[in-house]
């Protein structure tokens, strides 16, 4: 139990039911594991029309008043100070799960049964504790496009945030290419000066036909202009590219045009996030109706090779998403290009039975990494596929594809 005088230190206006800060549903993997404090600056996605995306379907977009965001920062700061105080009293420098439990148990007014959304409050406490544990250095601004805010508002939030947490060295956010395009170089430079050091942008494709088909709401030209401005402002730019998004019909154009756009932007990072047909996404329904033909897994791998061979930029290429098949596709361009292409070639040159076994193993591993175990129907499908592979049955390919499709549907 924490000491009574710490309870007395709770900020009265923020205590009880109101003591929480909003959290959105997602963050980039590089801001994951709670290494970043999450501050929600807008709710959901203002665009919400991309055919492959189901993240914010049915959710209404709204701006959050700056005063409300500041109140969230205050809550996070109170937790930050209280956790440090609990740890100091225990004579330890690190924030432990014991400190989290003590703070929770010692504040019935704030964490008791009638104190509102306890799930969110528990997530808040864990986010701040893990962030503190990692050094409290980075903050990620949620949700889908923090850059859509008025520049003076965003500057006010970032300035307030950095004053509240002097340890913060980097503020990062998701942004749409369209919002990057709309901001002037001066505005982006001011944001950079204030502490916005990295933007994560879902480029997805540099091919106009694919962008239009997927209702991305931006052209390749605007992606280039917006991206170049971000880079010129000195903000580290991470562009997400979606292999497979052109399906069978546009695979080659998708790869070549995307390579041209990324080369023109020259972002610090390019992250591959292969197409996965997400629940609640229109593209999943279209695929089931035969209106979109997915590229095979090997087709996606070959498409990535075509993309990389045509990239002429100085970016760090990362493949850290579960939807990607090959994790070894990573390195600094241009010097690592041949090494990365070799990883892909090594896979594509394997006999088909080995590629099938590799794919099945990888997809199973990804599923287990998220859920810990396989539900019985999926386990059965995977077993049937292994059995067909062992017997070198002519049905092996069909069985592996069916098992992988079921696994993917299970975790997207
Ligand atoms: S992909 Fe991004 S911009 Fe498109 S709907 Fe989803 S969150 Fe919004």
């Amino acid at each position: 139990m924490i000491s009574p005088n710490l309870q007395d230190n709770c900020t009265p206006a923020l205590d009880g039911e109101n003591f929480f800060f909003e959290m959105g549903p997602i963050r980039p993997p590089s801001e994951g594991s709670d290494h970043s404090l999450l501050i929600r600056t807008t709710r959901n996605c203002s665009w919400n029309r991309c055919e492959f995306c189901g993240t914010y379907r049915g959710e209404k977009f709204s701006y959050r008043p700056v005063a409300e965001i500041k109140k969230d920062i205050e809550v996070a700061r109170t937790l930050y100070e209280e956790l440090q105080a609990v740890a100091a009293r225990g004579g330890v420098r690190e924030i432990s799960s014991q400190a989290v439990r003590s703070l929770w148990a010692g504040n019935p007014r704030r964490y008791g049964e009638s104190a509102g959304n306890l799930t969110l409050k528990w997530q808040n406490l864990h986010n701040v504790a893990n962030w503190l544990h990692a050094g409290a250095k980075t903050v990620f601004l949620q949700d889908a496009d923090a850059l859509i805010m008025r520049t003076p508002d965003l500057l006010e939030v970032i300035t307030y945030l950095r004053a509240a947490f002097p340890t913060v060295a980097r503020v990062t956010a998701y942004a749409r290419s369209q919002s990057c395009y709309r901001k002037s170089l001066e505005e982006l430079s001011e944001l950079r000066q204030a502490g916005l050091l990295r933007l994560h942008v879902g480029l997805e494709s540099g091919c106009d036909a694919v962008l239009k088909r997927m209702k991305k709401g931006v052209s390749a030209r605007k992606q280039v202009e917006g991206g170049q401005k971000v880079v010129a402002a000195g903000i580290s730019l991470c562009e997400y590219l979606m292999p497979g998004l052109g399906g069978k019909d546009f695979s080659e154009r998708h790869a070549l045009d995307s390579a041209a756009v990324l080369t023109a932007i020259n972002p610090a990072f390019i992250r591959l996030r292969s197409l996965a047909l997400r629940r609640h996404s229109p593209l999943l329904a279209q695929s089931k109706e035969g209106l979109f033909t997915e590229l095979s897994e090997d087709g996606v791998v070959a498409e990535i090779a075509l993309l990389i061979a045509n990239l002429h930029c100085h970016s760090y290429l990362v493949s850290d998403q579960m939807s990607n098949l090959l994790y070894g596709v990573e390195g600094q361009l241009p010097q690592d290009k041949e090494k990365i292409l070799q990883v892909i070639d090594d896979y594509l040159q394997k006999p088909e039975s080995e590629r099938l076994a590799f794919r099945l193993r990888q997809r199973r591993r990804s599923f287990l990494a998220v859920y810990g175990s396989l539900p019985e129907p999926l386990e059965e499908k995977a077993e049937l596929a292994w059995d067909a592979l062992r017997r070198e049955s002519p049905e092996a390919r069909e069985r592996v594809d069916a098992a992988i499709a079921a696994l993917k549907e299970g975790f997207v």
Side-chain angles (χ1 to χ4, degrees), residues 45 47-50 52-53 55-57 144 176 204 216:
C45 175
W47 177 248
N48 218 0
R49 280 177 240 176
C50 300
F52 54 87
C53 177
T55 308
Y56 300 102
R57 288 282 151 180
R176 287 189 66 222
E204 326 298 5
K216 190 65 196 163

Side-chain angles (χ1 to χ4, degrees), residues 351-370:
E352 189 184 27
S353 59
E354 282 184 39
R355 295 203 309 277
L356 288 171
F358 176 85
R359 294 208 309 259
L360 186 58
R361 215 176 296 119
Q362 281 294 93
R363 295 308 184 192
R364 189 175 186 277
R365 196 176 292 158
S366 297
F367 192 99
L368 290 174
V370 177

Side-chain angles (χ1 to χ4, degrees), residues 29 58 71 90 122 138 143 157 203 208-209 216 242 246 252 260 284 317 325 349 360 373 390 397 399 407:
K71 172 248 162 194
W122 183 247
T138 62
D143 279 343
V157 168
L203 181 116
D208 276 328
K216 190 65 196 163
M242 194 169 275
E252 190 177 330
L284 176 63
L317 184 82
L325 183 68
Q349 293 308 320
L360 186 58
S373 65
R390 272 190 297 265
R397 185 178 179 178
R399 292 259 158 94
L407 284 165

Side-chain angles (χ1 to χ4, degrees), residues 66-82:
V66 171
E68 207 176 285
I69 303 168
K70 285 181 173 175
K71 172 248 162 194
D72 279 10
I73 295 169
E74 282 305 319
V75 170
R77 185 168 68 172
T78 305
L79 289 175
Y80 169 96
E81 287 168 354
E82 289 177 358

